[in-house]
Amino acid sequence: MIFRLFQTPSFIHCVMRRFFLAIACFLLHFFSALSNNLVLRNGAIEGNAISFEIGWDNSWNLTSQQGNHDAVWVFLKGRNPSGVWVHIDISTLATSHSAVSPLAVQPVTDGKGVFIYPQEQGVFSHSPSLIILAAESSLTSFSEIRVYGIEMVQIPEGDFFIGDGVSVSSLSNTIGEPVKISSENALNPLNLIVNNPNSQFTPHELASSLPAEFPKGFASFYAMKYEVTQLQYADFLNTLTYNQQKSRTASAPNSSKGTYVMINPYQPDSLYRNGIVIMEPGVATGKSAVYGVNASKDNEYNGANDGQHRAANFLSWADLSAYLDWAALRPMTELEFEKVCRGPIAPVAGELAWGTSLVTNANSPVDDGTIFETVSDVPASGSGLANHGTFIATEGWGLRGVLRTGFAATSSSSRVEAGATYYGVMEMSGNVWEQTVMVGGGGEVFTGNPGDGELDENGNANQPSWCNPSTASGVLLKGGGWGSTISEVGSWRDLAVSDRFYSHLKPSTRRNSVGGRGAR
């Protein structure tokens, strides 16, 4: 991947990315399921220690070359004696944990998980290596423990620009130029304006103050390498109570087996390539439903061609923020979004996530629904490959739905061809709209605090500084989705890094082209 702060000639192939290992404590029976390139296996428990093996492909650490590194965010959930899934805190002391080289364990101050990352320099694939983590208390009271892993990318500390001088309703200084962010100090919005304001919808006003606590992107942080996938969202649903599940899906948990649950209620037959489905119905008096993915609409759930690794669409702000709180991650701000895309490089007018203003639509799936899902479309010279809208009167909207995250990366593709950001993050333009915290509308009170791993009884995020789950006030959609069209530079370009055309639109309801990712 492009892991450096400068260009490299090729983009390493990555396919998929999420995984959990379940350990049935009361039987001492250990089992796992495999995803393509993130493997968790051979779990065991002794007192407050949990051991397992982890490995993933196409990892990197190029920090000695002024670059960055990738990592896996690992966290634990346990089923307590009451049958309820709870988050398990992990020791904040690095000396409490161990890892086999070349991997290392980086604890976090709140104890909600750890980052596992390559400590040696280079680009490589990790064969499964032993990790031992120490929880804050004994693990033997849990009937089952699940270890979750989410691939992340470290975004280094440093200066960057917001705004590109031309995008619709983009941020700029008072004369319409990009603004350099050089610290996390309070930012005076009096020095910012909404540049090239949207004439069709009134742009949302900027905040009157932007305190130091609001994440501006200068400080180092981690971003999810990929958008939340349908399998990740199903895994999340499978640890919730019935009442929580009811809030986080469009169809009731006691619906019949085979019911697709993330849909537009006005178009129940239009799934837009979303396959999240009920495998076992729940019972309103207490039994939770069991969810899986079945894009092929056959009798096999989580099968080889069921689209588990496609981006999760139909996510409202309440859905995404609940997932991030549950995973002990946090939302990304709109300023961080721009840094992840362009890095420290000066903005290009109308640029998309891969650093040029050109795009080729990904519209022709190959190996559809599998972990290798890609497209046969070939990007034009200087053009990134992205899943977006290309309406043709005789053909309609084309694909009309989401693709596998990371679909465009191959062993020979460049950053541009793969549609990757400067730091190696995928699909920041296209596939699904991403939900970020904006510098206005109430978003300015966000302090960057991560989730605590727990939700309220209704399945909502319980973090007071986060944007309201019901109203989505302070949320800004960025990056465009599978139905987004592209006009000339300086006009409507949903996929553009700095475009804020929809600053007035709040994702308080589920839309077929909206999803997202998190940070920490």
Side-chain angles (χ1 to χ4, degrees), residues 455-467:
L455 305 178
D456 70 19
E457 63 180 9
N458 294 316
N460 291 317
N462 60 12
Q463 303 304 310
S465 88
W466 293 17
C467 300

Side-chain angles (χ1 to χ4, degrees), residues 16-63:
M16 224 20 245
R17 287 103 339 250
R18 150 273 154 222
F19 182 57
F20 77 82
L21 166 69
I23 304 174
C25 303
F26 64 98
L27 294 176
L28 294 180
H29 173 61
F30 312 121
F31 63 94
S32 65
L34 297 178
S35 61
N36 183 69
N37 71 332
L38 176 57
V39 176
L40 292 168
R41 70 183 191 190
N42 295 336
I45 291 170
E46 184 175 350
N48 72 328
I50 182 167
S51 63
F52 55 90
E53 293 178 333
I54 186 170
W56 70 101
D57 294 337
N58 309 307
S59 175
W60 73 90
N61 186 338
L62 297 175
T63 53

